[in-house]
Amino acid sequence: VAGTISKLFAVLEAAISGADANVTFAINGVAIDTSAMVIANSGSAAGDEYDTTPTGHNTVAVGDVIKITTDGASTGTAPLTVEVLINVS
């Protein structure tokens, strides 16, 4: 689908430990502006919600690859469900 990424959402599925996890987003290897999320380990729990609003480099075309990456800093791992809201052009 082609369009503009207008919002990024994430929901933590279980607690993490050790350190915060930094999650970044990119399109075809280019970082989406203001898309980073810090998943806090202190007090983390299933159901914690995060969101961010990209400000640039957020246009996607058919066939583009949206990559979601964590820095792996947390020592306790947990699934993170991510939703990418794309306004279709």
Side-chain angles (χ1 to χ4, degrees):
V1 69
T4 303
I5 297 174
S6 59
K7 199 81 167 175
L8 300 161
F9 302 93
V11 178
L12 189 59
E13 301 298 332
I16 60 172
S17 59
D20 294 348
N22 294 293
V23 178
T24 56
F25 298 80
I27 301 169
N28 297 328
V30 178
I32 300 172
D33 293 348
T34 65
S35 66
M37 292 181 185
V38 177
I39 311 302
N41 90 71
S42 179
S44 67
D48 287 354
E49 297 179 357
Y50 301 86
D51 67 79
T52 186
T53 303
T55 59
H57 296 117
N58 56 335
T59 301
V60 292
V62 172
D64 282 353
V65 175
I66 300 171
K67 185 175 182 181
I68 304 164
T69 306
T70 178
D71 64 359
S74 62
T75 53
T77 60
L80 183 71
T81 300
V82 175
E83 180 180 342
V84 178
L85 180 59
I86 301 173
N87 293 332
V88 178
S89 49

